[in-house]
Amino acid sequence: MAHFTTYLALFTGALLASYFVAHRLRLPVIPVYILAGIGVSLFVHAGETKVFEALGVILLLFYIGLEFSLAEMEKNFKNILSVGIVDLTLNLFPLWAVSAALGFDPFTAFVLAVILYPSSSAIVSKLLIDLKKLANPEVEPVLAILVFEDIAAATLLAVLVNISTTGSADPVTVLKVVIKIALFIFFAVVFIKNFNKVVDVVIGKYGTATEFLVLLVGTVLFAFVEVAMGFGLSEAIGAFAAGTLFAETSHKESVEQVVIPYRDLFGALFFLTFGISIDLSKMEASLIVPLGVLIVASFATKLLTGVAAGKLYGLSLKRGVSAGLMLLPRGEFSILVAATVPKLVPITAVYVLASSILGSFAVKESGKILNLLFRKKKKRKSRLSKSQLLGD
């Protein structure tokens, strides 16, 4: 137990120092947390921090689920499907071609494309919360894309794990993965639509005492996570579904208040432990140029995705670019996918670090970036005199 508490003392101390640095220098906290994690990795092994990573993702995605209405999701199902397919098409296939052009063999190039495809739900969620952007109109297509990406990335990850273990793509296994995902989504929607009334009755009977709500939320949340993982999906999907359940109740605000402190603590721990998992010493000099090309290409495809998604949602070009900036950071799924092809882990780690830092700054400074890109032209004053204008 002393070993565990030593880690907690080290981690929370590093996070507090990082927060002071970020606040002092007016920097977004996420990249500072990640860089602090790289420093802490000199003293801690990455394998001993997995529980903090998992809890961070779960609580961040649960909170985002609280902000996402199932009724709105059903109403906009076609839009979610549309932007998801657009996102998949504009990212996976072009990045596969770019990776192949850089000299990677077809399979490795495909794995690289899968690594670069999904944005980080955890990082994007944290940015939207911290920067108070959840009310922005472009957040709706961004969240829709993140939900679609989590499902698509989970499917692709399961397929790649199967290929890496068997040495070949088994169509039957791939089909089973797709069926599992479809079943989970179906059962989750049915459950949420009916069980939200039960939650209302239970809370109405036992009240909104903090201790009771924490225990109730924890029980439901981790049950959803366990079911999702039983279906072969990520804990993020289960947590998001659990958040959606409480969003459909009349006690949403009370639940938010008890969850926020846990979200902030474990969300910060997630980014610190994510930094701990990055080993910069394994990055070869020969990969620097390909890395630069992949960063530029993957950022360009996400910006195009944001613009296209914005159009589908009836948003302006400016809002579309803003959505694209929100989608730049990559994270947890990229690392998981890279693990299926060990030689790609070093370049993935550095890529994720770079995209998380650059993406965080892009979102934080999105106002300045958008003003620069969409600067209004000043009306030129007429040089004619008043009498000339009147025709005198």
Side-chain angles (χ1 to χ4, degrees):
M1 194 69 182
H3 192 53
F4 181 75
T5 55
T6 300
Y7 280 156
L8 273 179
L10 175 62
F11 293 170
T12 53
L15 287 170
L16 183 60
S18 301
Y19 184 87
F20 283 140
V21 170
H23 182 73
R24 181 76 176 176
L25 300 178
R26 295 184 179 180
L27 301 173
V29 294
I30 291 174
V32 181
Y33 287 162
I34 294 172
L35 289 171
I38 294 175
V40 173
S41 67
L42 299 172
F43 313 99
V44 177
H45 189 270
E48 299 168 327
T49 64
K50 294 298 181 185
V51 65
F52 299 115
E53 287 188 48
L55 286 172
V57 171
I58 288 169
L59 287 160
L60 284 170
L61 269 294
F62 175 80
Y63 187 83
I64 287 296
L66 277 174
E67 303 296 321
F68 211 83
S69 167
L70 183 61
E72 286 295 317
M73 199 185 301
E74 288 182 323
K75 180 182 174 182
N76 297 312
F77 176 75
K78 288 184 179 179
N79 283 340
I80 292 172
L81 188 62
S82 299
V83 295
I85 292 173
V86 166
D87 175 53
L88 183 71
T89 304
L90 289 179
N91 287 274
L92 188 65
F93 300 108
L95 293 173
W96 188 1
V98 171
S99 300
L102 288 170
F104 294 98
D105 63 80
F107 176 70
T108 303
F110 177 73
V111 176
L112 258 177
V114 177
I115 288 169
L116 304 177
Y117 156 59
S119 302
S120 170
S121 297
I123 294 176
V124 175
S125 301
K126 175 72 171 171
L127 286 169
L128 296 180
I129 294 166
D130 285 357
L131 300 174
K132 296 179 173 58
K133 291 181 178 285
L134 286 173
N136 288 19
E138 66 270 26
V139 169
E140 188 176 352
V142 167
L143 292 180
I145 287 171
L146 292 178
V147 171
F148 185 94
E149 281 186 348
D150 275 346
I151 296 170
T155 305
L156 291 167
L157 177 60
V159 171
L160 290 174
V161 168
N162 176 255
I163 294 173
S164 65
T165 53
T166 63
S168 62
D170 180 7
V172 176
T173 303
V174 173
L175 182 61
K176 284 181 179 178
V177 171
V178 174
I179 292 173
K180 282 181 179 180
I181 291 170
L183 284 173
F184 175 79
I185 293 172
F186 173 76
F187 286 124
V189 171
V190 171
F191 187 82
I192 290 167
K193 278 184 158 183
N194 294 280
F195 196 71
N196 67 316
K197 298 170 185 176
V198 176
V199 173
D200 269 333
V201 170
V202 171
I203 296 177
K205 183 177 180 180
Y206 292 97
T208 56
T210 301
E211 183 178 2
F212 170 69
L213 282 181
V214 168
L215 293 173
L216 177 64
V217 169
T219 300
V220 175
L221 170 57
F222 290 108
F224 263 85
V225 168
E226 191 62 28
V227 171
M229 295 182 74
F231 274 87
L233 303 176
S234 74
E235 63 268 29
I237 290 290
F240 183 87
T244 305
L245 166 63
F246 284 97
E248 297 298 310
T249 70
S250 58
H251 300 280
K252 172 185 169 182
E253 289 77 14
S254 298
V255 172
E256 282 183 344
Q257 292 306 309
V258 300
V259 167
I260 286 173
Y262 298 97
R263 177 206 74 192
D264 290 344
L265 173 61
F266 288 102
L269 283 169
F270 166 79
F271 296 110
L272 183 85
T273 54
F274 180 73
I276 291 172
S277 69
I278 297 175
D279 186 356
L280 298 177
S281 65
K282 293 183 179 179
M283 180 68 181
E284 298 176 7
S286 60
L287 294 175
I288 292 176
V289 173
L291 175 65
V293 173
L294 291 172
I295 288 173
V296 173
S298 60
F299 277 25
T301 56
K302 281 299 180 187
L303 288 171
L304 285 174
T305 297
V307 171
K311 288 290 183 184
L312 288 173
Y313 272 76
L315 302 177
S316 65
L317 176 60
K318 186 175 181 179
R319 290 292 183 182
V321 173
S322 178
L325 292 173
M326 291 176 181
L327 293 168
L328 295 182
R330 286 10 177 236
E332 60 280 0
F333 259 124
S334 300
I335 296 293
L336 290 173
V337 172
T340 63
V341 182
K343 67 181 180 180
L344 292 179
V345 170
I347 191 173
T348 301
V350 179
Y351 171 82
V352 167
L353 176 62
S355 71
S356 63
I357 292 173
L358 295 174
S360 296
F361 275 103
V363 178
K364 183 177 183 292
E365 303 298 334
S366 60
K368 294 178 181 178
I369 294 171
L370 294 173
N371 288 336
L372 186 64
L373 293 175
F374 298 92
R375 186 181 296 166
K376 291 182 180 179
K377 293 181 179 179
K378 293 183 179 180
K379 291 182 179 180
R380 300 175 73 180
K381 291 183 179 180
S382 175
R383 293 183 179 178
L384 296 175
S385 67
K386 185 176 180 180
S387 60
Q388 287 176 313
L389 288 171
L390 293 173
D392 295 339

PDB file of all heavy atoms in Angstrom, residues 29-49:
ATOM      1  N   VAL A  29      -3.274  23.362 -19.924  1.00  0.00           N
ATOM      2  CA  VAL A  29      -2.688  22.456 -18.926  1.00  0.00           C
ATOM      3  C   VAL A  29      -2.348  21.080 -19.490  1.00  0.00           C
ATOM      4  O   VAL A  29      -1.413  20.429 -19.005  1.00  0.00           O
ATOM      5  CB  VAL A  29      -3.619  22.295 -17.703  1.00  0.00           C
ATOM      6  CG1 VAL A  29      -3.744  23.589 -16.944  1.00  0.00           C
ATOM      7  CG2 VAL A  29      -4.983  21.758 -18.115  1.00  0.00           C
ATOM      8  N   ILE A  30      -3.077  20.621 -20.504  1.00  0.00           N
ATOM      9  CA  ILE A  30      -2.897  19.241 -20.981  1.00  0.00           C
ATOM     10  C   ILE A  30      -1.461  18.962 -21.433  1.00  0.00           C
ATOM     11  O   ILE A  30      -0.837  17.999 -20.965  1.00  0.00           O
ATOM     12  CB  ILE A  30      -3.909  18.897 -22.082  1.00  0.00           C
ATOM     13  CG1 ILE A  30      -5.313  18.823 -21.479  1.00  0.00           C
ATOM     14  CG2 ILE A  30      -3.568  17.556 -22.741  1.00  0.00           C
ATOM     15  CD1 ILE A  30      -6.413  18.625 -22.488  1.00  0.00           C
ATOM     16  N   PRO A  31      -0.881  19.742 -22.364  1.00  0.00           N
ATOM     17  CA  PRO A  31       0.498  19.441 -22.761  1.00  0.00           C
ATOM     18  C   PRO A  31       1.498  19.547 -21.623  1.00  0.00           C
ATOM     19  O   PRO A  31       2.486  18.807 -21.588  1.00  0.00           O
ATOM     20  CB  PRO A  31       0.791  20.471 -23.861  1.00  0.00           C
ATOM     21  CG  PRO A  31      -0.258  21.499 -23.758  1.00  0.00           C
ATOM     22  CD  PRO A  31      -1.441  20.854 -23.151  1.00  0.00           C
ATOM     23  N   VAL A  32       1.239  20.449 -20.671  1.00  0.00           N
ATOM     24  CA  VAL A  32       2.143  20.584 -19.521  1.00  0.00           C
ATOM     25  C   VAL A  32       2.061  19.324 -18.658  1.00  0.00           C
ATOM     26  O   VAL A  32       3.079  18.813 -18.174  1.00  0.00           O
ATOM     27  CB  VAL A  32       1.802  21.834 -18.690  1.00  0.00           C
ATOM     28  CG1 VAL A  32       2.763  21.967 -17.509  1.00  0.00           C
ATOM     29  CG2 VAL A  32       1.879  23.087 -19.560  1.00  0.00           C
ATOM     30  N   TYR A  33       0.853  18.781 -18.473  1.00  0.00           N
ATOM     31  CA  TYR A  33       0.689  17.522 -17.735  1.00  0.00           C
ATOM     32  C   TYR A  33       1.436  16.382 -18.432  1.00  0.00           C
ATOM     33  O   TYR A  33       2.094  15.567 -17.786  1.00  0.00           O
ATOM     34  CB  TYR A  33      -0.793  17.153 -17.635  1.00  0.00           C
ATOM     35  CG  TYR A  33      -1.612  17.985 -16.682  1.00  0.00           C
ATOM     36  CD1 TYR A  33      -3.001  18.014 -16.767  1.00  0.00           C
ATOM     37  CD2 TYR A  33      -1.013  18.756 -15.684  1.00  0.00           C
ATOM     38  CE1 TYR A  33      -3.774  18.776 -15.896  1.00  0.00           C
ATOM     39  CE2 TYR A  33      -1.766  19.522 -14.813  1.00  0.00           C
ATOM     40  CZ  TYR A  33      -3.154  19.532 -14.928  1.00  0.00           C
ATOM     41  OH  TYR A  33      -3.913  20.278 -14.056  1.00  0.00           O
ATOM     42  N   ILE A  34       1.329  16.338 -19.764  1.00  0.00           N
ATOM     43  CA  ILE A  34       1.979  15.265 -20.524  1.00  0.00           C
ATOM     44  C   ILE A  34       3.502  15.370 -20.413  1.00  0.00           C
ATOM     45  O   ILE A  34       4.200  14.368 -20.202  1.00  0.00           O
ATOM     46  CB  ILE A  34       1.538  15.299 -22.006  1.00  0.00           C
ATOM     47  CG1 ILE A  34       0.038  14.957 -22.115  1.00  0.00           C
ATOM     48  CG2 ILE A  34       2.350  14.305 -22.844  1.00  0.00           C
ATOM     49  CD1 ILE A  34      -0.535  15.138 -23.507  1.00  0.00           C
ATOM     50  N   LEU A  35       4.019  16.596 -20.554  1.00  0.00           N
ATOM     51  CA  LEU A  35       5.467  16.799 -20.428  1.00  0.00           C
ATOM     52  C   LEU A  35       5.946  16.452 -19.014  1.00  0.00           C
ATOM     53  O   LEU A  35       7.028  15.876 -18.838  1.00  0.00           O
ATOM     54  CB  LEU A  35       5.818  18.246 -20.759  1.00  0.00           C
ATOM     55  CG  LEU A  35       5.689  18.638 -22.245  1.00  0.00           C
ATOM     56  CD1 LEU A  35       5.841  20.144 -22.422  1.00  0.00           C
ATOM     57  CD2 LEU A  35       6.713  17.891 -23.097  1.00  0.00           C
ATOM     58  N   ALA A  36       5.118  16.765 -18.019  1.00  0.00           N
ATOM     59  CA  ALA A  36       5.464  16.392 -16.638  1.00  0.00           C
ATOM     60  C   ALA A  36       5.522  14.877 -16.505  1.00  0.00           C
ATOM     61  O   ALA A  36       6.393  14.333 -15.814  1.00  0.00           O
ATOM     62  CB  ALA A  36       4.433  16.959 -15.662  1.00  0.00           C
ATOM     63  N   GLY A  37       4.611  14.200 -17.193  1.00  0.00           N
ATOM     64  CA  GLY A  37       4.607  12.735 -17.178  1.00  0.00           C
ATOM     65  C   GLY A  37       5.878  12.154 -17.764  1.00  0.00           C
ATOM     66  O   GLY A  37       6.411  11.154 -17.258  1.00  0.00           O
ATOM     67  N   ILE A  38       6.386  12.783 -18.828  1.00  0.00           N
ATOM     68  CA  ILE A  38       7.650  12.318 -19.422  1.00  0.00           C
ATOM     69  C   ILE A  38       8.778  12.451 -18.410  1.00  0.00           C
ATOM     70  O   ILE A  38       9.645  11.579 -18.296  1.00  0.00           O
ATOM     71  CB  ILE A  38       7.962  13.125 -20.708  1.00  0.00           C
ATOM     72  CG1 ILE A  38       6.917  12.814 -21.782  1.00  0.00           C
ATOM     73  CG2 ILE A  38       9.368  12.797 -21.225  1.00  0.00           C
ATOM     74  CD1 ILE A  38       7.051  13.648 -23.039  1.00  0.00           C
ATOM     75  N   GLY A  39       8.744  13.541 -17.640  1.00  0.00           N
ATOM     76  CA  GLY A  39       9.758  13.719 -16.592  1.00  0.00           C
ATOM     77  C   GLY A  39       9.616  12.689 -15.478  1.00  0.00           C
ATOM     78  O   GLY A  39      10.611  12.109 -15.016  1.00  0.00           O
ATOM     79  N   VAL A  40       8.373  12.424 -15.075  1.00  0.00           N
ATOM     80  CA  VAL A  40       8.118  11.443 -14.013  1.00  0.00           C
ATOM     81  C   VAL A  40       8.495  10.036 -14.457  1.00  0.00           C
ATOM     82  O   VAL A  40       8.835   9.177 -13.635  1.00  0.00           O
ATOM     83  CB  VAL A  40       6.632  11.504 -13.576  1.00  0.00           C
ATOM     84  CG1 VAL A  40       6.287  10.382 -12.597  1.00  0.00           C
ATOM     85  CG2 VAL A  40       6.317  12.855 -12.937  1.00  0.00           C
ATOM     86  N   SER A  41       8.464   9.792 -15.778  1.00  0.00           N
ATOM     87  CA  SER A  41       8.780   8.446 -16.294  1.00  0.00           C
ATOM     88  C   SER A  41      10.210   8.011 -15.962  1.00  0.00           C
ATOM     89  O   SER A  41      10.545   6.825 -16.059  1.00  0.00           O
ATOM     90  CB  SER A  41       8.572   8.398 -17.813  1.00  0.00           C
ATOM     91  OG  SER A  41       9.523   9.225 -18.480  1.00  0.00           O
ATOM     92  N   LEU A  42      11.057   8.961 -15.569  1.00  0.00           N
ATOM     93  CA  LEU A  42      12.416   8.618 -15.151  1.00  0.00           C
ATOM     94  C   LEU A  42      12.419   7.825 -13.847  1.00  0.00           C
ATOM     95  O   LEU A  42      13.378   7.123 -13.531  1.00  0.00           O
ATOM     96  CB  LEU A  42      13.256   9.893 -14.975  1.00  0.00           C
ATOM     97  CG  LEU A  42      13.448  10.776 -16.223  1.00  0.00           C
ATOM     98  CD1 LEU A  42      14.130  12.078 -15.852  1.00  0.00           C
ATOM     99  CD2 LEU A  42      14.243  10.020 -17.275  1.00  0.00           C
ATOM    100  N   PHE A  43      11.306   7.928 -13.099  1.00  0.00           N
ATOM    101  CA  PHE A  43      11.224   7.280 -11.785  1.00  0.00           C
ATOM    102  C   PHE A  43      10.149   6.191 -11.710  1.00  0.00           C
ATOM    103  O   PHE A  43      10.139   5.394 -10.777  1.00  0.00           O
ATOM    104  CB  PHE A  43      10.919   8.324 -10.701  1.00  0.00           C
ATOM    105  CG  PHE A  43      11.780   9.559 -10.785  1.00  0.00           C
ATOM    106  CD1 PHE A  43      11.298  10.711 -11.380  1.00  0.00           C
ATOM    107  CD2 PHE A  43      13.073   9.553 -10.293  1.00  0.00           C
ATOM    108  CE1 PHE A  43      12.083  11.853 -11.475  1.00  0.00           C
ATOM    109  CE2 PHE A  43      13.867  10.680 -10.379  1.00  0.00           C
ATOM    110  CZ  PHE A  43      13.381  11.839 -10.971  1.00  0.00           C
ATOM    111  N   VAL A  44       9.244   6.167 -12.690  1.00  0.00           N
ATOM    112  CA  VAL A  44       8.090   5.261 -12.630  1.00  0.00           C
ATOM    113  C   VAL A  44       7.975   4.470 -13.918  1.00  0.00           C
ATOM    114  O   VAL A  44       8.164   5.008 -15.008  1.00  0.00           O
ATOM    115  CB  VAL A  44       6.786   6.066 -12.396  1.00  0.00           C
ATOM    116  CG1 VAL A  44       5.575   5.134 -12.402  1.00  0.00           C
ATOM    117  CG2 VAL A  44       6.854   6.826 -11.091  1.00  0.00           C
ATOM    118  N   HIS A  45       7.625   3.186 -13.815  1.00  0.00           N
ATOM    119  CA  HIS A  45       7.413   2.337 -14.985  1.00  0.00           C
ATOM    120  C   HIS A  45       5.988   2.519 -15.485  1.00  0.00           C
ATOM    121  O   HIS A  45       5.039   2.547 -14.694  1.00  0.00           O
ATOM    122  CB  HIS A  45       7.665   0.865 -14.632  1.00  0.00           C
ATOM    123  CG  HIS A  45       7.674  -0.022 -15.833  1.00  0.00           C
ATOM    124  ND1 HIS A  45       6.534  -0.638 -16.306  1.00  0.00           N
ATOM    125  CD2 HIS A  45       8.674  -0.399 -16.664  1.00  0.00           C
ATOM    126  CE1 HIS A  45       6.840  -1.352 -17.378  1.00  0.00           C
ATOM    127  NE2 HIS A  45       8.131  -1.226 -17.612  1.00  0.00           N
ATOM    128  N   ALA A  46       5.820   2.624 -16.800  1.00  0.00           N
ATOM    129  CA  ALA A  46       4.508   2.899 -17.387  1.00  0.00           C
ATOM    130  C   ALA A  46       3.468   1.836 -17.043  1.00  0.00           C
ATOM    131  O   ALA A  46       2.287   2.133 -16.873  1.00  0.00           O
ATOM    132  CB  ALA A  46       4.635   3.030 -18.907  1.00  0.00           C
ATOM    133  N   GLY A  47       3.897   0.589 -16.930  1.00  0.00           N
ATOM    134  CA  GLY A  47       2.960  -0.501 -16.666  1.00  0.00           C
ATOM    135  C   GLY A  47       2.269  -0.399 -15.317  1.00  0.00           C
ATOM    136  O   GLY A  47       1.227  -1.027 -15.089  1.00  0.00           O
ATOM    137  N   GLU A  48       2.819   0.405 -14.421  1.00  0.00           N
ATOM    138  CA  GLU A  48       2.254   0.516 -13.071  1.00  0.00           C
ATOM    139  C   GLU A  48       1.226   1.647 -12.958  1.00  0.00           C
ATOM    140  O   GLU A  48       0.727   1.930 -11.865  1.00  0.00           O
ATOM    141  CB  GLU A  48       3.395   0.745 -12.064  1.00  0.00           C
ATOM    142  CG  GLU A  48       4.411  -0.404 -12.036  1.00  0.00           C
ATOM    143  CD  GLU A  48       5.677  -0.039 -11.265  1.00  0.00           C
ATOM    144  OE1 GLU A  48       6.057   1.138 -11.297  1.00  0.00           O
ATOM    145  OE2 GLU A  48       6.272  -0.932 -10.654  1.00  0.00           O
ATOM    146  N   THR A  49       0.900   2.293 -14.072  1.00  0.00           N
ATOM    147  CA  THR A  49      -0.001   3.455 -14.020  1.00  0.00           C
ATOM    148  C   THR A  49      -1.292   3.246 -14.804  1.00  0.00           C
ATOM    149  O   THR A  49      -2.064   4.190 -14.981  1.00  0.00           O
ATOM    150  CB  THR A  49       0.715   4.694 -14.585  1.00  0.00           C
ATOM    151  OG1 THR A  49       1.014   4.479 -15.980  1.00  0.00           O
ATOM    152  CG2 THR A  49       2.003   4.974 -13.834  1.00  0.00           C
TER     153      THR A  49
END
